[in-house]
Amino acid sequence: DVQQTFYEAVGGAETFRKLTARFYEEVAKDDIVRPLYPEEDLGPAERRMRMFLEQYWGGPHTYSDERGHPRLRLRHQPFKIGPIERDAWLRCMHTAIASIDSGTLDDAHRKALTEYMDMAAASMVNSAF
Ligand code: HEM
């Protein structure tokens, strides 16, 4: 189907659930990224990330129904995000992407997802150090 979204092409809700679950597993173990999260429970953050990514890639728009316009740079202002935090965040995300098997995420989709994450993480940097 030529109209198929990226979201559908990579397996829909199940794939985004696995990706964000693994991402937050990595965050929980990361001494640089974990302390930035104000909440002890990472569950709500995981859910917001999952809804955001699903929406971005053509899935349900539950994120904006609940949270409004993403305004991600603004929402990240309270956290100091320099090159070290960016790289640590990306390490977690690259590990999460690598955990999705090649039957679910083929090379082209994997590349698109990785390039988006690299770009998005770079755009969230709000500190020179
Ligand atoms: C929220 C850290 C990059 C998407 C948050 C929160 C923290 C955080 C501490 C608040 C936790 C919460 O929602 O309860 C970081 C760090 C980054 C980073 C250290 C380093 C580069 C990104 C990127 C994206 C993203 C690249 C998107 C691809 C989100 C979303 C939320 C969020 C969707 C929830 C926003 C909302 O409140 O609706 N992030 N983040 N973050 N982050 Fe990040």
Side-chain angles (χ1 to χ4, degrees), residues 36-37 45 48 52 63 67 75-76 79 81 89 120-121 124:
L36 294 173
Y37 284 81
R48 288 192 280 270
F52 171 78
Y63 178 86
R67 305 287 292 163
R75 291 196 209 265
H76 286 76
F79 319 117
I81 303 178
W89 187 99
M124 228 55 81

Side-chain angles (χ1 to χ4, degrees), residues 70-97:
R71 300 182 202 286
L72 287 187
R73 251 188 84 81
L74 190 71
R75 291 196 209 265
H76 286 76
Q77 278 314 314
F79 319 117
K80 175 194 161 278
I81 303 178
I84 291 171
E85 290 78 13
R86 176 202 60 204
D87 288 352
W89 187 99
L90 273 174
R91 241 183 359 253
C92 296
M93 186 54 79
H94 289 156
T95 300
I97 293 173

